[in-house]
Each structure stands twice: as structure tokens, then as C-alpha cells.
Amino acid sequence: ARTAEAIVEVSFGGWPVGVAMASVLLAERRHRHNHRTSERRRDDFPKIGHFDTWKVDSLQSLVLMNHDLILYPQWVNASDFRHTAEHFNNVPLHSEELDTALKNRCDQLLQKMQRKIDGEQQRAVQSRRRGQSSSTSSKPVAKPRTAKFKLTMDQLELCETMGTQLPFLPFTTPEEKQLFNQCAASLMHKDDHEMA
């Protein structure tokens, strides 16, 4: 028997996709696996010949509404259930303390970035005023900018999934790896509660 990881590796291993597309592919894989398992193991589960179960949901609802008849008695309409905040792909695993620490650090970084932006804009306005006193041309004043993090689409997807302003990413620089090794060797920080 092959493991789920091996099946995913064979199915999608060579595809250069981002985080969002990988989540969609895993969701589709999970949906198809659950459907096939239901066809094999659940008595009287309808074999519909495709995986577009929302079409069967719509058909079942229409037949019930128009003819007061349940087309597939063993079928459970997933469309009839209320949507919840539950996630199945990437889920946040960090503690509230680490989340609060990350929010505080992000706020500090954004404030620092905003001070730098404001300083640059003030210098630009002052130099423009000095230049206008000697000439009659007037350039339009640039719109004020707001500090924000420059993130890739994958990083934005991770932030949305984790509910954070910055994503949790693996260590990449030698300095980060060395600091992690020092923390792990000293056993000072046992979990993310203490790391916060």
C-alpha cells in the first residue's frame, strides 16, 4: 500500500505550482479519494461516473423540490450544510502568544517603515519648495504612501491561511540557522509559547 505522500508526489511532484494551487490540488485529490472510498465501501452509494458532486446535489434538490422525491437516498447533499470557518489544507498551528508576538513585531516594523516614508516625503516637499522659489514651475505633490510589506503571492496566501501579517517561513540564511541551532542546543526555548 502506498502512502498518501507517495501518491501526492507521483500525482503532482513535478509541477511547479505555488501555495494556493497546491492547496487546490490537494483539496481535489482529497475530494476524489473520499468519493472513490464512498463508492467502494458505502452500501447503496450511487456510482455517478464523475467527481462533480455539486451537480448531483443540484439535481437531487431540483427533483426533491419538483417531485417531492429523493433521487439518491444514500446521498448526502454537501450543499445543504452551512459553511464554517473550518479549514482542511493549510491550518494555523501557532499559539496565541506567538501570534501576539508576531503582530507586535509587525506593528513595530510597519511603524519604522512609515517613519522612513514620511521622512522621505517631507524631504521631497522641502526640496520642491526650495526649487519653486527660484522657478515658476509647479510639480504635483506625490500622494502620501502607507507602509506595507512587499510579499509574493505565495507569501500572501500563507498569511491569509495563518491569519498573520507575515508568513512563517523556514530558516534560509546561515545566521538564522545558527541562531536556531543555538536555541535548540541550549534547550532554553521548548515551544512557541516560550519563543514568543
Side-chain angles (χ1 to χ4, degrees), residues 23 26-27 30 34 84-91:
S23 295
L26 287 172
R30 183 179 56 251
N34 290 342
T84 65
E86 186 178 16
H87 295 281
F88 290 100
N89 287 330
N90 299 321
V91 295

Side-chain angles (χ1 to χ4, degrees), residues 137-187:
S137 66
S138 63
K139 295 179 183 177
V141 177
K143 288 173 46 176
R145 294 182 317 170
T146 304
K148 60 182 179 181
F149 297 116
K150 293 179 182 176
L151 302 173
T152 66
M153 295 298 288
D154 283 344
Q155 291 169 340
L156 287 170
E157 176 70 20
L158 288 172
C159 288
E160 184 178 331
T161 301
M162 301 299 159
T164 58
Q165 290 178 300
L166 287 175
F168 294 105
L169 298 173
F171 302 118
T172 54
T173 66
E175 294 84 13
E176 291 171 333
K177 292 177 182 177
Q178 186 177 17
L179 179 60
F180 176 77
N181 288 338
Q182 288 172 353
C183 289
S186 67
L187 296 177

Side-chain angles (χ1 to χ4, degrees), residues 81-165:
F81 292 98
R82 185 170 28 125
H83 289 284
T84 65
E86 186 178 16
H87 295 281
F88 290 100
N89 287 330
N90 299 321
V91 295
L93 298 175
H94 59 280
S95 67
E96 287 184 34
E97 291 87 358
L98 185 58
D99 189 64
T100 302
L102 181 63
K103 282 181 184 172
N104 292 340
R105 182 65 179 138
C106 287
D107 290 342
Q108 290 171 357
L109 291 172
L110 288 171
Q111 287 172 4
K112 183 179 177 182
M113 291 165 59
Q114 190 63 49
R115 283 193 298 270
K116 183 178 177 184
I117 289 170
D118 292 344
E120 289 172 357
Q121 287 180 332
Q122 282 181 340
R123 285 190 293 279
V125 167
Q126 289 171 354
S127 70
R128 195 173 298 121
R129 284 184 185 154
R130 279 187 237 122
Q132 283 182 355
S133 62
S134 61
S135 70
T136 58
S137 66
S138 63
K139 295 179 183 177
V141 177
K143 288 173 46 176
R145 294 182 317 170
T146 304
K148 60 182 179 181
F149 297 116
K150 293 179 182 176
L151 302 173
T152 66
M153 295 298 288
D154 283 344
Q155 291 169 340
L156 287 170
E157 176 70 20
L158 288 172
C159 288
E160 184 178 331
T161 301
M162 301 299 159
T164 58
Q165 290 178 300

Side-chain angles (χ1 to χ4, degrees), residues 43-71:
D43 292 337
D44 300 326
F45 188 85
K47 292 180 175 41
I48 57 175
H50 59 80
F51 298 103
D52 300 334
T53 54
W54 53 91
K55 292 180 181 178
V56 178
D57 290 353
S58 297
L59 179 63
Q60 177 125 307
S61 296
L62 284 171
V63 170
L64 182 63
M65 185 176 63
N66 292 329
H67 302 286
D68 200 27
L69 175 72
I70 296 176
L71 189 59

Side-chain angles (χ1 to χ4, degrees), residues 35-51:
H35 190 82
R36 281 191 200 109
T37 301
S38 293
E39 284 182 347
R40 280 194 310 266
R41 298 194 176 162
R42 288 172 60 190
D43 292 337
D44 300 326
F45 188 85
K47 292 180 175 41
I48 57 175
H50 59 80
F51 298 103

